Amino acid sequence: MALLFHTTPARLPIWQKLFAEAGEPFIAGEDAVTDPAEVTAIACWTPPDLSRYPNLRLVLSVGAGVDHLPALPQGVALARTLAPGIEAMVRDWVVMATLMLHRDMPLYIDQAGRGEWRTHPVRLSTSRRVGIMGMGRIGGLVAGSLQALGFDVAGLSRTGSTGTVPMFAASQRDAFLARSDLLICLLPLTPETRGILNAETLAKLPAGAGLIHAGRGAHLDAQALRAALDAGHLSAAMLDVTDPEPLPTEHWIWSDPRIIVTPHIAAQTDALEGARHALTVMQALRQGAPIPGLVDQARGY
Ligand SMILES: NC(=O)c1ccc[n+]([C@@H]2O[C@H](COP(=O)([O-])OP(=O)(O)OC[C@H]3O[C@@H](n4cnc5c(N)ncnc54)[C@H](OP(=O)(O)O)[C@@H]3O)[C@@H](O)[C@H]2O)c1
């Protein structure tokens, strides 16, 4: 019963040391597999050929999302990394992006490029309604930070279950959008949420709204965003995720002054945090205990 490490080689020494110290069986990459029957779990971003491993019980995504993984063979469980560092990093990026749109930074960066000294009205954070789509581990953290800065925060989740801010269920999405001056997307990518940021949903935002997107590129119809910006219905956007990634050099988004793009860097998994989570997953698997970060494969997150 061993974990097969199949991710960034630079992380290997840290994982190897932690597993050795814990006395937990560990296989340092596919080249080190002597008996495929020993592999019970695989930690990966892109999985190897899973059919090689007859006793595979679990695939562990080394990121927070699982949308990049193919459907797993029957009976193979799926888990995602739980790392406080990832959540804190995304929180920091989203808070930064929210403040940047709140304080019109795309406009000022554009003006600065022309050496133009021109002021625009400044609004209090208390007068800005922020809507967070996806109130999971990351959305909940972001909500608390933005609330502490004075923003009028609400959240949208599938079920609308209670949070620390006013909550809307997926069935109440239109009402949620109508009160989102700044819309933050922190959704997982699932069949239900693919393309959710489209012409119809963007049209439901208040005039002049801004978009902050750190979910997945395929949530957003970029042409719909462009049309909403051109129509003056949206004012600006901050994107950490795009479709495709990497965004081609010649893509129009790069040169649009109303949009600021970062190359999917809101968070990066810390090697030690990822290894620690993998170890707790393997220990839980061995003990038949609940798997931390287990994904509901039918739901997609
Ligand atoms: N840019 C980056 O570097 C980066 C890094 C990490 C994560 N991410 C993105 O952030 C996402 C969220 O991560 P997380 O750990 O917070 O996820 P999570 O804990 O699984 O939470 C997901 C949230 O989305 C809600 N949701 C799911 N489907 C929905 C729908 N159809 N309509 C409305 N709400 C829906 C869920 O509602 P319920 O609570 O009702 O189930 C839950 O609140 C990841 O999947 C990934 O796409 C990006």
Side-chain angles (χ1 to χ4, degrees):
M1 182 170 188
L3 175 85
L4 170 61
F5 175 92
H6 186 73
T7 176
T8 319
R11 295 177 182 160
L12 181 58
I14 291 169
W15 284 57
Q16 215 160 13
K17 181 165 178 282
L18 191 79
F19 273 72
E21 283 167 359
E24 188 64 42
F26 180 84
I27 302 172
E30 282 209 287
D31 292 347
V33 175
T34 48
D35 178 6
E38 282 176 6
V39 173
T40 43
I42 300 176
C44 61
W45 181 258
T46 309
D49 176 6
L50 301 181
S51 66
R52 269 193 75 194
Y53 303 104
N55 295 323
L56 186 65
R57 287 171 57 191
L58 180 131
V59 169
L60 170 63
S61 166
V62 293
V66 294
D67 49 280
H68 56 286
L69 290 164
L72 300 183
Q74 187 75 21
V76 176
L78 174 61
R80 43 74 62 101
T81 291
L82 299 183
I86 294 184
E87 293 154 23
M89 285 179 201
V90 180
R91 187 252 344 259
D92 293 349
W93 187 93
V94 171
V95 169
M96 172 199 68
T98 304
L99 288 171
M100 284 185 72
L101 293 197
H102 172 57
R103 298 304 300 263
D104 298 318
M105 285 312 286
L107 199 56
Y108 287 113
I109 290 169
D110 186 41
Q111 285 182 200
R114 295 191 297 276
E116 183 182 350
W117 182 284
R118 187 151 68 96
T119 64
H120 304 276
V122 178
R123 278 172 66 173
L124 280 167
S125 57
T126 46
S127 75
R128 192 82 77 170
R129 298 165 300 173
V130 175
I132 305 174
M133 296 181 104
M135 283 290 287
R137 297 178 64 91
I138 301 174
L141 200 59
V142 167
S145 298
L146 293 179
Q147 234 179 0
L149 290 170
F151 290 101
D152 179 359
V153 183
L156 176 87
S157 69
R158 199 173 47 82
T159 52
S161 56
T162 327
T164 53
V165 295
M167 289 294 296
F168 294 78
S171 56
Q172 301 166 304
R173 199 171 67 200
D174 289 358
F176 164 81
L177 293 170
R179 54 90 60 219
S180 297
D181 298 319
L182 294 177
L183 179 68
I184 296 170
C185 180
L186 282 170
L187 287 168
L189 184 64
T190 69
E192 265 182 52
T193 64
R194 183 174 290 275
I196 196 167
L197 300 171
N198 55 38
E200 195 191 329
T201 46
L202 297 180
K204 290 182 175 139
L205 294 170
L211 172 68
I212 293 135
H213 186 23
R216 288 287 182 259
H219 285 133
L220 175 67
D221 175 346
Q223 285 305 333
L225 171 64
R226 187 184 211 174
L229 290 166
D230 287 347
H233 182 61
L234 288 198
S235 54
M238 293 277 306
L239 310 178
D240 183 54
V241 287
T242 61
D243 185 16
E245 290 182 7
L247 191 65
T249 309
E250 63 283 2
H251 200 285
W252 64 268
I253 284 183
W254 285 117
S255 54
D256 191 314
R258 302 162 299 185
I259 304 175
I260 294 177
V261 189
T262 53
H264 203 145
I265 47 69
Q268 287 166 355
T269 307
D270 174 75
L272 185 55
E273 273 197 5
R276 282 195 184 123
H277 180 253
L279 184 60
T280 61
V281 165
M282 289 310 288
Q283 289 166 340
L285 204 57
R286 181 180 304 287
Q287 292 157 9
I291 306 290
L294 190 70
V295 169
D296 178 335
Q297 294 181 64
R299 209 176 55 171
Y301 69 98

